[in-house]
Amino acid sequence: MPFLSDSDRQSLLRLARLAITEAVSRRQILADIPTGGIFSEQRGVFVSLHIGKRLRGCLGVVEPEHPLGDSIVRCAIGAATQDPRFPAMRPDELDHLEIEISLLSPPGAIRPEEIQIGTHGLLISRGSHRGLLLPQVAVTHQLSAEQFLAETCRKAELPLDAWRDPETKLFGFTSEIFSSSALSDA
């Protein structure tokens, strides 16, 4: 997966912020979504929102079905207004909002012993159950590979040891992660 330029990163973060601002302040969907360059690529993406160090919303797509510009807008708005773990974002929170974008590599089959904490995100699937955790989750919560597997099973609403079952499919992916706070610090 190629790494983005700082300019591309800033453009994607600006688009996410603009989409969130339109949705939260004006209750409108951004009408003019860029379509050229990085915005036209097909990539899995997650948008995570933080206020201070606390998660405020996160939403994403694993398999890209739309150009990246459209996916960023949908995921940013969804993270701000539709994450069932949080109430919809309020306009007074916008000034304190930090946006983190994770661009995903395509998921591929992975064996538990191949998992590298801080490098791999996990996707577990069995029947209609699916759970995904981004690579940064294991680092933030200081999880071992086995704990990371168990927490991904929990996210999929499966037994914590479901990853050991041959019927359970395990996929790994990497991501390029960047945030508005990292760019403002640079």
Side-chain angles (χ1 to χ4, degrees):
M1 183 168 65
F3 290 100
L4 299 178
S5 68
D6 283 343
S7 174
D8 283 344
R9 289 176 175 203
Q10 289 173 5
S11 295
L12 292 173
L13 287 163
R14 269 194 303 275
L15 178 62
R17 184 170 299 280
L18 186 58
I20 292 166
T21 301
E22 284 291 307
V24 171
S25 295
R26 296 176 189 84
R27 301 208 185 285
Q28 294 181 1
I29 305 262
L30 189 62
D32 189 23
I33 300 172
T35 57
I38 187 67
F39 301 106
S40 67
E41 291 188 17
Q42 298 272 327
R43 299 244 195 122
V45 62
F46 272 73
V47 177
S48 303
L49 308 178
H50 296 87
I51 304 274
K53 299 282 184 205
R54 294 180 31 180
L55 182 65
R56 184 60 180 83
C58 181
L59 199 82
V61 293
V62 179
E63 293 91 12
E65 296 177 7
H66 303 280
L68 188 55
D70 288 340
S71 294
I72 292 276
V73 168
R74 289 171 192 232
C75 293
I77 292 170
T81 64
Q82 297 170 356
D83 187 326
R85 300 170 293 177
F86 304 95
M89 186 170 280
R90 299 179 318 270
D92 63 304
E93 294 177 288
L94 292 172
D95 287 341
H96 308 288
L97 178 65
E98 291 185 17
I99 300 169
E100 179 181 87
I101 295 176
S102 300
L103 294 181
L104 310 185
S105 70
I110 192 170
R111 295 188 318 265
E113 62 271 15
E114 296 173 321
I115 296 169
Q116 296 176 13
I117 297 297
T119 299
H120 293 114
L122 296 178
L123 171 63
I124 285 183
S125 174
R126 185 168 81 195
S128 62
H129 295 270
R130 236 170 95 131
L132 179 141
L133 290 177
L134 297 169
Q136 57 268 43
V137 171
V139 174
T140 300
H141 297 285
Q142 300 178 349
L143 302 177
S144 67
E146 194 164 312
Q147 291 168 323
F148 195 29
L149 286 159
E151 290 304 318
T152 309
C153 288
R154 179 188 317 272
K155 185 87 182 261
E157 299 180 344
L158 291 168
L160 298 184
D161 63 350
W163 59 272
R164 297 179 189 273
D165 185 329
E167 297 296 312
T168 302
K169 296 180 179 142
L170 177 61
F171 302 93
F173 59 89
T174 59
S175 40
E176 183 174 353
I177 305 161
F178 51 97
S179 68
S180 54
S181 64
L183 289 175
S184 62
D185 294 342

